[in-house]
Amino acid sequence: MKKVPLKNITRLIVVIAVAASICSAATTTDSDPPTVEVITPTDASDLARGYEAAFGEMSASRVILFVRMEDRIQKLEFIRNVTAAAGVLIIEMRDNNLIAVDARRIVLITDGKMEP
């Protein structure tokens, strides 16, 4: 049996130790915890979804929406569709214009002649 020099054994131990540390480092970075996204509804988002549902129940040809502006109430007529997006109401007009309104600014939605 041939004697292996101590120098070669030391090199082998160093190579094994380095390889082991590289392998353990690679496995810890791959096992990051998954990202969890939590979406909680707000009053405005609930309100927007409610207006969207109400629009679906009304006669779309006659829907009128009243929106509170800074110093007045704006009347919106000729509405084709209403869609909720978070706390915003996306209003599609018959001329294909889109209006985004904070749902909390809606004063009244009606398909009659009622006014605020």
Side-chain angles (χ1 to χ4, degrees):
M1 187 163 32
K2 217 178 189 187
K3 274 187 147 182
V4 179
L6 186 60
K7 189 169 151 184
N8 287 344
I9 293 174
T10 305
R11 283 184 187 161
L12 181 63
I13 291 173
V14 168
V15 168
I16 291 172
V18 169
S21 67
I22 290 172
C23 287
S24 70
T27 58
T28 57
T29 58
D30 291 341
S31 63
D32 290 337
T35 303
V36 177
E37 183 177 340
V38 177
I39 300 173
T40 57
T42 63
D43 290 342
S45 64
D46 288 342
L47 194 56
R49 283 194 305 275
Y51 286 132
E52 180 182 27
F55 180 83
E57 297 293 319
M58 295 180 173
S59 171
S61 63
R62 297 183 359 210
V63 172
I64 300 170
L65 227 124
F66 294 91
V67 181
R68 179 178 294 114
M69 299 303 198
E70 300 209 4
D71 58 343
R72 61 188 163 80
I73 293 178
Q74 179 68 43
K75 180 179 180 180
L76 297 176
E77 297 180 87
F78 310 111
I79 298 168
R80 177 179 293 161
N81 195 19
V82 172
T83 307
V88 175
L89 206 59
I90 308 295
I91 304 163
E92 181 183 356
M93 308 302 287
R94 286 192 196 148
D95 60 0
N96 294 325
N97 284 326
L98 294 176
I99 301 171
V101 177
D102 183 338
R104 294 170 292 196
R105 290 188 170 267
I106 304 296
V107 176
L108 177 68
I109 181 170
T110 181
D111 63 353
K113 296 190 183 286
M114 192 173 182
E115 291 198 21

